[in-house]
Amino acid sequence: MANVFRSNGKLMLTGEYLALRGAKAFAVPLQFGQELEIDAVEHPLVYWRTLFRDKIIFHAIFDTERFDVLETNDTDKAEWIKKVFKAIREQKKNFLLKSGAEATARIDLPMNYGWGSSSSFIANLSQWADVDPFMVNMNVGGGSGYDIACAKANKPILYSNELANPKFDEIDYKPGFERNLWFVFQENKMNTAEAIRKIRSKKVSDADVRRISDISEQWVKSKDLNEIMELMKAHEKIISGILGLPSVMEKYKDFNGAVKSLGAWGGDFMLAVSEMDGADVISYFTGNQRPTIFNWTEIVKNQSTE
């Protein structure tokens, strides 16, 4: 009988970049994610395929001795999966040593959104192998690990990783203005590894790390939409100063509300908060060539319902 595992996608609302320096981050698991179905086979091969909307978008065959790629339609992706397999074996020496598997991944999150296809993949494989997904993630590519925490969370989380010690708490986040929170795709998928390299080359003060942590904690307690918008502006100002880049707010000065980058600046999603009707928010961003828009209630796991 097949084993089936499922993990969530993610979005980080506060803490981008500085979560890598131990700042507390506010992040949410998504209703979209990834499922992994495993059937054991006796011969020492892994037959892998990934499906999106019932269409095979990736396939590969790996041996189980060194996880060499024997066949694939995407060499770069296959080599990355090989790294994940090897990181798992570093923790569990007998992983797939005497057997193989037929593995089918089913993704319901668009790959170009930056919603966590890699982290949900690592979380699923780690659950299958019964190893620590945070260690696998660190060995494969680094990052703060917040996305690994979101992969199995049932609610929004407050997350920190100081001195390679990931900690997170699930929180009940139901402020009452969820329908005023919008996720807008900037039509540009960013490279997470490049973002990690960028922040590691910057000088970051302890005061900035503490301030971002304070903003995260204030955010989850606030019941006031205007206060959230002020926290967004303060967060953008801090990160803008560190990166030496203009805030995304500069592009949307005429927006009746506030906008904030989510994740690596320059791409992926941004958060838009406004007291305007939803139709007006959608019309504004569509008119600014940003037609891919989701409301909080559409995508966040454990969202409030009325």
Side-chain angles (χ1 to χ4, degrees):
M1 190 170 84
N3 290 312
V4 180
F5 311 95
R6 181 171 176 82
S7 295
N8 313 311
K10 51 70 184 178
L11 278 169
M12 179 187 282
L13 274 66
T14 68
E16 71 270 11
Y17 291 105
L18 295 200
L20 290 161
R21 301 295 181 93
K24 190 169 288 187
F26 176 37
V28 294
L30 302 181
Q31 297 176 32
F32 298 88
Q34 183 167 178
E35 181 179 280
L36 176 63
E37 181 177 330
I38 298 292
D39 284 289
V41 298
E42 294 182 359
H43 42 279
L45 296 172
V46 175
Y47 300 91
W48 191 282
R49 62 177 185 164
T50 298
L51 283 70
F52 177 61
R53 295 173 180 167
D54 296 323
K55 180 181 178 181
I56 296 176
I57 59 172
F58 169 76
H59 72 266
I61 301 174
F62 304 86
D63 72 36
T64 57
E65 181 180 359
R66 297 184 304 178
F67 299 113
D68 289 334
V69 182
L70 306 181
E71 177 183 315
T72 186
N73 65 332
D74 187 330
T75 301
D76 289 343
K77 186 171 293 185
E79 288 296 328
W80 183 82
I81 292 175
K82 176 181 177 179
K83 288 178 65 176
V84 177
F85 280 140
K86 294 182 75 172
I88 288 173
R89 187 170 282 175
E90 286 181 16
Q91 286 190 60
K92 196 166 187 176
K93 303 301 183 185
N94 64 347
F95 174 64
L96 289 180
L97 271 183
K98 296 182 179 180
S99 64
E102 290 184 1
T104 301
R106 295 182 178 87
I107 298 176
D108 54 36
L109 47 84
M111 301 286 283
N112 64 323
Y113 280 7
W115 277 1
S117 56
S118 297
S119 53
S120 56
F121 178 94
I122 288 173
N124 280 339
L125 254 70
S126 297
Q127 188 175 356
W128 167 37
D130 192 23
V131 296
D132 183 348
F134 291 100
M135 288 185 63
V136 174
N137 180 65
M138 185 56 61
N139 289 335
V140 170
S144 69
Y146 88 92
D147 46 1
I148 299 297
C150 282
K152 295 300 180 183
N154 292 308
K155 301 177 182 179
I157 64 171
L158 275 175
Y159 178 88
S160 65
N161 187 353
E162 191 170 5
L163 302 176
N165 182 26
K167 297 178 181 179
F168 63 96
D169 294 304
E170 293 188 5
I171 57 175
D172 289 313
Y173 186 70
K174 299 177 180 179
F177 47 71
E178 293 94 323
R179 294 188 182 278
N180 298 97
L181 308 178
W182 299 86
F183 299 105
V184 184
F185 188 41
Q186 298 192 71
E187 311 298 327
N188 182 29
K189 173 74 172 69
M190 298 301 287
N191 186 304
T192 300
E194 180 60 33
I196 291 172
R197 286 192 291 270
K198 181 182 293 185
I199 195 61
R200 284 178 174 163
S201 69
K202 302 291 184 180
K203 291 183 179 180
V204 178
S205 70
D206 291 341
D208 284 338
V209 172
R210 287 194 298 270
R211 179 62 181 132
I212 293 297
S213 293
D214 289 343
I215 288 173
S216 299
E217 292 179 337
Q218 288 177 264
W219 188 306
V220 301
K221 295 175 182 177
S222 179
K223 303 295 183 182
D224 187 307
L225 193 63
N226 288 310
E227 182 182 10
I228 293 297
M229 289 190 274
E230 291 304 313
L231 291 172
M232 291 168 65
K233 294 172 185 176
H235 195 294
E236 287 283 290
K237 183 176 181 180
I238 292 169
I239 304 300
S240 176
I242 292 171
L243 298 179
L245 296 173
S247 164
V248 71
M249 289 188 295
E250 297 297 315
K251 296 181 180 179
Y252 305 101
K253 291 181 179 180
D254 61 341
F255 178 63
N256 183 15
V259 292
K260 178 193 175 299
S261 294
L262 303 180
W265 279 30
D268 292 341
F269 276 76
M270 57 185 172
L271 176 68
V273 175
S274 176
E275 293 181 328
M276 291 194 298
D277 290 339
D280 292 331
V281 173
I282 293 170
S283 177
Y284 174 85
F285 285 106
T286 300
N288 280 275
Q289 288 74 54
R290 297 293 180 264
T292 307
I293 308 167
F294 300 93
N295 187 258
W296 175 285
T297 60
E298 294 178 285
I299 66 172
V300 174
K301 192 172 184 179
N302 195 51
Q303 78 276 11
S304 293
T305 57
E306 296 181 358

